[in-house]
Amino acid sequence: MLYAEFIGYAAACLTTSSFLPQAIKVVRTRDTSSLSLLMYVAFNAGVVLWLAYGLLRKDPVIIVANCVTIVLSVTILSIKTYNVIKKIDR
């Protein structure tokens, strides 16, 4: 079981940390023109469902990974949504 947990934590660290560079870039530049709003909406919905699944299973690997991922992804989605609304108002 120890190997399975190690693999789970390693996978969670890699997939979750993959959003960090994008989140940093978006926060710094506020440029989301090349990002798909629909993709980020769908992705965030999927992460929320994975988080719910982890909570139901009481699986700390899934819970922690998806809590961190949702923070990063919601940040990007929020800025993207703001930019879309701002563009419509012009």
Side-chain angles (χ1 to χ4, degrees):
M1 191 62 155
L2 183 60
Y3 292 116
E5 286 186 29
F6 175 77
I7 290 171
Y9 277 108
C13 286
L14 291 171
T15 56
T16 300
S17 66
S18 71
F19 272 89
L20 195 54
Q22 186 70 61
I24 291 169
K25 183 176 181 180
V26 167
V27 168
R28 283 185 180 163
T29 66
R30 300 285 191 218
D31 179 18
T32 59
S33 59
S34 65
L35 302 178
S36 166
L37 178 61
L38 183 57
M39 178 274 190
Y40 270 93
V41 168
F43 182 78
N44 277 282
V47 173
V48 168
L49 292 175
W50 272 113
L51 178 58
Y53 175 75
L55 290 167
L56 291 170
R57 298 208 29 130
K58 298 179 175 134
D59 187 326
V61 174
I62 296 172
I63 294 168
V64 171
N66 285 288
C67 282
V68 174
T69 301
I70 198 75
V71 168
L72 297 172
S73 190
V74 164
T75 299
I76 296 168
L77 178 61
S78 299
I79 295 170
K80 176 65 178 178
T81 303
Y82 174 80
N83 288 343
V84 167
I85 292 169
K86 190 170 129 182
K87 188 175 181 180
I88 292 171
D89 286 344
R90 289 185 194 181

